[in-house]
PDB file of all heavy atoms in Angstrom:
ATOM      1  N   GLN A 320     -33.761  53.122 -31.066  1.00  0.00           N
ATOM      2  CA  GLN A 320     -35.050  52.919 -31.705  1.00  0.00           C
ATOM      3  C   GLN A 320     -34.848  52.748 -33.209  1.00  0.00           C
ATOM      4  O   GLN A 320     -33.984  53.373 -33.809  1.00  0.00           O
ATOM      5  CB  GLN A 320     -35.880  54.171 -31.427  1.00  0.00           C
ATOM      6  CG  GLN A 320     -37.255  54.122 -32.018  1.00  0.00           C
ATOM      7  CD  GLN A 320     -37.998  55.415 -31.776  1.00  0.00           C
ATOM      8  OE1 GLN A 320     -37.533  56.275 -31.029  1.00  0.00           O
ATOM      9  NE2 GLN A 320     -39.149  55.552 -32.404  1.00  0.00           N
ATOM     10  N   SER A 321     -35.644  51.872 -33.806  1.00  0.00           N
ATOM     11  CA  SER A 321     -35.482  51.601 -35.236  1.00  0.00           C
ATOM     12  C   SER A 321     -36.136  52.701 -36.067  1.00  0.00           C
ATOM     13  O   SER A 321     -37.039  53.391 -35.614  1.00  0.00           O
ATOM     14  CB  SER A 321     -36.122  50.262 -35.575  1.00  0.00           C
ATOM     15  OG  SER A 321     -36.230  50.119 -36.970  1.00  0.00           O
ATOM     16  N   ASN A 322     -35.669  52.855 -37.298  1.00  0.00           N
ATOM     17  CA  ASN A 322     -36.386  53.734 -38.216  1.00  0.00           C
ATOM     18  C   ASN A 322     -37.610  52.979 -38.751  1.00  0.00           C
ATOM     19  O   ASN A 322     -37.710  51.764 -38.571  1.00  0.00           O
ATOM     20  CB  ASN A 322     -35.464  54.240 -39.329  1.00  0.00           C
ATOM     21  CG  ASN A 322     -34.836  53.118 -40.124  1.00  0.00           C
ATOM     22  OD1 ASN A 322     -35.426  52.062 -40.270  1.00  0.00           O
ATOM     23  ND2 ASN A 322     -33.630  53.328 -40.614  1.00  0.00           N
ATOM     24  N   PRO A 323     -38.543  53.655 -39.428  1.00  0.00           N
ATOM     25  CA  PRO A 323     -39.821  53.000 -39.774  1.00  0.00           C
ATOM     26  C   PRO A 323     -39.698  51.796 -40.709  1.00  0.00           C
ATOM     27  O   PRO A 323     -40.631  51.022 -40.836  1.00  0.00           O
ATOM     28  CB  PRO A 323     -40.623  54.117 -40.442  1.00  0.00           C
ATOM     29  CG  PRO A 323     -40.031  55.382 -39.936  1.00  0.00           C
ATOM     30  CD  PRO A 323     -38.590  55.108 -39.728  1.00  0.00           C
ATOM     31  N   VAL A 324     -38.558  51.629 -41.407  1.00  0.00           N
ATOM     32  CA  VAL A 324     -38.442  50.478 -42.300  1.00  0.00           C
ATOM     33  C   VAL A 324     -37.476  49.427 -41.766  1.00  0.00           C
ATOM     34  O   VAL A 324     -37.186  48.451 -42.445  1.00  0.00           O
ATOM     35  CB  VAL A 324     -38.006  50.895 -43.723  1.00  0.00           C
ATOM     36  CG1 VAL A 324     -39.189  51.379 -44.518  1.00  0.00           C
ATOM     37  CG2 VAL A 324     -36.903  51.928 -43.688  1.00  0.00           C
ATOM     38  N   GLY A 325     -36.975  49.612 -40.553  1.00  0.00           N
ATOM     39  CA  GLY A 325     -36.116  48.600 -39.949  1.00  0.00           C
ATOM     40  C   GLY A 325     -34.721  48.546 -40.535  1.00  0.00           C
ATOM     41  O   GLY A 325     -34.000  47.575 -40.325  1.00  0.00           O
ATOM     42  N   PHE A 326     -34.325  49.593 -41.279  1.00  0.00           N
ATOM     43  CA  PHE A 326     -32.985  49.604 -41.873  1.00  0.00           C
ATOM     44  C   PHE A 326     -31.941  49.840 -40.791  1.00  0.00           C
ATOM     45  O   PHE A 326     -32.006  50.832 -40.069  1.00  0.00           O
ATOM     46  CB  PHE A 326     -32.895  50.729 -42.912  1.00  0.00           C
ATOM     47  CG  PHE A 326     -33.128  50.265 -44.314  1.00  0.00           C
ATOM     48  CD1 PHE A 326     -34.233  49.487 -44.614  1.00  0.00           C
ATOM     49  CD2 PHE A 326     -32.239  50.585 -45.337  1.00  0.00           C
ATOM     50  CE1 PHE A 326     -34.460  49.051 -45.909  1.00  0.00           C
ATOM     51  CE2 PHE A 326     -32.452  50.161 -46.633  1.00  0.00           C
ATOM     52  CZ  PHE A 326     -33.558  49.394 -46.927  1.00  0.00           C
ATOM     53  N   LEU A 327     -30.961  48.937 -40.710  1.00  0.00           N
ATOM     54  CA  LEU A 327     -29.878  49.130 -39.746  1.00  0.00           C
ATOM     55  C   LEU A 327     -29.060  50.354 -40.148  1.00  0.00           C
ATOM     56  O   LEU A 327     -28.865  50.608 -41.342  1.00  0.00           O
ATOM     57  CB  LEU A 327     -28.968  47.905 -39.737  1.00  0.00           C
ATOM     58  CG  LEU A 327     -29.527  46.637 -39.093  1.00  0.00           C
ATOM     59  CD1 LEU A 327     -28.599  45.472 -39.372  1.00  0.00           C
ATOM     60  CD2 LEU A 327     -29.686  46.827 -37.601  1.00  0.00           C
ATOM     61  N   PRO A 328     -28.567  51.102 -39.173  1.00  0.00           N
ATOM     62  CA  PRO A 328     -27.779  52.306 -39.502  1.00  0.00           C
ATOM     63  C   PRO A 328     -26.360  51.937 -39.932  1.00  0.00           C
ATOM     64  O   PRO A 328     -25.390  52.334 -39.307  1.00  0.00           O
ATOM     65  CB  PRO A 328     -27.792  53.090 -38.195  1.00  0.00           C
ATOM     66  CG  PRO A 328     -27.947  52.047 -37.133  1.00  0.00           C
ATOM     67  CD  PRO A 328     -28.741  50.932 -37.732  1.00  0.00           C
ATOM     68  N   ILE A 329     -26.247  51.111 -40.974  1.00  0.00           N
ATOM     69  CA  ILE A 329     -24.922  50.773 -41.488  1.00  0.00           C
ATOM     70  C   ILE A 329     -24.837  51.232 -42.936  1.00  0.00           C
ATOM     71  O   ILE A 329     -25.841  51.284 -43.635  1.00  0.00           O
ATOM     72  CB  ILE A 329     -24.627  49.256 -41.400  1.00  0.00           C
ATOM     73  CG1 ILE A 329     -25.728  48.439 -42.091  1.00  0.00           C
ATOM     74  CG2 ILE A 329     -24.478  48.817 -39.958  1.00  0.00           C
ATOM     75  CD1 ILE A 329     -25.422  46.968 -42.196  1.00  0.00           C
ATOM     76  N   LYS A 330     -23.613  51.542 -43.340  1.00  0.00           N
ATOM     77  CA  LYS A 330     -23.397  52.096 -44.682  1.00  0.00           C
ATOM     78  C   LYS A 330     -24.048  51.237 -45.761  1.00  0.00           C
ATOM     79  O   LYS A 330     -24.710  51.736 -46.655  1.00  0.00           O
ATOM     80  CB  LYS A 330     -21.902  52.180 -44.954  1.00  0.00           C
ATOM     81  CG  LYS A 330     -21.260  53.424 -44.441  1.00  0.00           C
ATOM     82  CD  LYS A 330     -19.822  53.482 -44.983  1.00  0.00           C
ATOM     83  CE  LYS A 330     -19.036  54.590 -44.312  1.00  0.00           C
ATOM     84  NZ  LYS A 330     -17.597  54.477 -44.623  1.00  0.00           N
ATOM     85  N   GLY A 331     -23.808  49.944 -45.691  1.00  0.00           N
ATOM     86  CA  GLY A 331     -24.248  49.025 -46.733  1.00  0.00           C
ATOM     87  C   GLY A 331     -25.748  49.053 -46.954  1.00  0.00           C
ATOM     88  O   GLY A 331     -26.235  48.718 -48.027  1.00  0.00           O
ATOM     89  N   TRP A 332     -26.512  49.410 -45.924  1.00  0.00           N
ATOM     90  CA  TRP A 332     -27.964  49.465 -46.057  1.00  0.00           C
ATOM     91  C   TRP A 332     -28.439  50.886 -46.305  1.00  0.00           C
ATOM     92  O   TRP A 332     -29.325  51.121 -47.129  1.00  0.00           O
ATOM     93  CB  TRP A 332     -28.647  48.902 -44.807  1.00  0.00           C
ATOM     94  CG  TRP A 332     -28.499  47.429 -44.650  1.00  0.00           C
ATOM     95  CD1 TRP A 332     -27.553  46.634 -45.224  1.00  0.00           C
ATOM     96  CD2 TRP A 332     -29.335  46.564 -43.882  1.00  0.00           C
ATOM     97  NE1 TRP A 332     -27.735  45.330 -44.848  1.00  0.00           N
ATOM     98  CE2 TRP A 332     -28.819  45.258 -44.021  1.00  0.00           C
ATOM     99  CE3 TRP A 332     -30.461  46.771 -43.095  1.00  0.00           C
ATOM    100  CZ2 TRP A 332     -29.401  44.156 -43.390  1.00  0.00           C
ATOM    101  CZ3 TRP A 332     -31.041  45.679 -42.455  1.00  0.00           C
ATOM    102  CH2 TRP A 332     -30.506  44.381 -42.615  1.00  0.00           C
ATOM    103  N   MET A 333     -27.837  51.809 -45.576  1.00  0.00           N
ATOM    104  CA  MET A 333     -28.363  53.173 -45.636  1.00  0.00           C
ATOM    105  C   MET A 333     -28.183  53.799 -47.018  1.00  0.00           C
ATOM    106  O   MET A 333     -28.869  54.753 -47.359  1.00  0.00           O
ATOM    107  CB  MET A 333     -27.714  54.048 -44.553  1.00  0.00           C
ATOM    108  CG  MET A 333     -28.176  53.727 -43.138  1.00  0.00           C
ATOM    109  SD  MET A 333     -29.976  53.571 -42.952  1.00  0.00           S
ATOM    110  CE  MET A 333     -30.461  55.277 -42.792  1.00  0.00           C
ATOM    111  N   LYS A 334     -27.250  53.260 -47.817  1.00  0.00           N
ATOM    112  CA  LYS A 334     -27.107  53.840 -49.148  1.00  0.00           C
ATOM    113  C   LYS A 334     -28.345  53.558 -50.007  1.00  0.00           C
ATOM    114  O   LYS A 334     -28.551  54.207 -51.023  1.00  0.00           O
ATOM    115  CB  LYS A 334     -25.826  53.363 -49.822  1.00  0.00           C
ATOM    116  CG  LYS A 334     -25.755  51.886 -50.134  1.00  0.00           C
ATOM    117  CD  LYS A 334     -24.384  51.545 -50.735  1.00  0.00           C
ATOM    118  CE  LYS A 334     -24.278  50.057 -51.020  1.00  0.00           C
ATOM    119  NZ  LYS A 334     -22.908  49.601 -51.262  1.00  0.00           N
ATOM    120  N   TYR A 335     -29.154  52.595 -49.601  1.00  0.00           N
ATOM    121  CA  TYR A 335     -30.406  52.323 -50.319  1.00  0.00           C
ATOM    122  C   TYR A 335     -31.628  52.833 -49.545  1.00  0.00           C
ATOM    123  O   TYR A 335     -32.760  52.502 -49.876  1.00  0.00           O
ATOM    124  CB  TYR A 335     -30.594  50.816 -50.538  1.00  0.00           C
ATOM    125  CG  TYR A 335     -29.443  50.116 -51.233  1.00  0.00           C
ATOM    126  CD1 TYR A 335     -28.747  49.106 -50.584  1.00  0.00           C
ATOM    127  CD2 TYR A 335     -29.092  50.451 -52.536  1.00  0.00           C
ATOM    128  CE1 TYR A 335     -27.697  48.447 -51.224  1.00  0.00           C
ATOM    129  CE2 TYR A 335     -28.046  49.801 -53.172  1.00  0.00           C
ATOM    130  CZ  TYR A 335     -27.344  48.799 -52.506  1.00  0.00           C
ATOM    131  OH  TYR A 335     -26.327  48.156 -53.133  1.00  0.00           O
ATOM    132  N   HIS A 336     -31.404  53.566 -48.466  1.00  0.00           N
ATOM    133  CA  HIS A 336     -32.520  53.936 -47.591  1.00  0.00           C
ATOM    134  C   HIS A 336     -33.615  54.697 -48.347  1.00  0.00           C
ATOM    135  O   HIS A 336     -33.338  55.709 -49.003  1.00  0.00           O
ATOM    136  CB  HIS A 336     -32.007  54.789 -46.432  1.00  0.00           C
ATOM    137  CG  HIS A 336     -33.077  55.138 -45.451  1.00  0.00           C
ATOM    138  ND1 HIS A 336     -33.524  56.424 -45.277  1.00  0.00           N
ATOM    139  CD2 HIS A 336     -33.814  54.373 -44.620  1.00  0.00           C
ATOM    140  CE1 HIS A 336     -34.484  56.431 -44.376  1.00  0.00           C
ATOM    141  NE2 HIS A 336     -34.689  55.203 -43.959  1.00  0.00           N
ATOM    142  N   PRO A 337     -34.855  54.221 -48.258  1.00  0.00           N
ATOM    143  CA  PRO A 337     -35.944  54.838 -49.034  1.00  0.00           C
ATOM    144  C   PRO A 337     -36.501  56.078 -48.344  1.00  0.00           C
ATOM    145  O   PRO A 337     -37.623  56.043 -47.822  1.00  0.00           O
ATOM    146  CB  PRO A 337     -36.984  53.715 -49.077  1.00  0.00           C
ATOM    147  CG  PRO A 337     -36.741  52.935 -47.827  1.00  0.00           C
ATOM    148  CD  PRO A 337     -35.305  53.055 -47.489  1.00  0.00           C
TER     149      PRO A 337
END
Side-chain angles (χ1 to χ4, degrees):
Chain A
Q320 180 183 351
S321 167
N322 58 30
V324 278
F326 263 50
L327 288 171
I329 54 173
K330 275 189 190 169
W332 290 21
M333 288 313 278
K334 65 183 178 195
Y335 305 118
H336 183 247

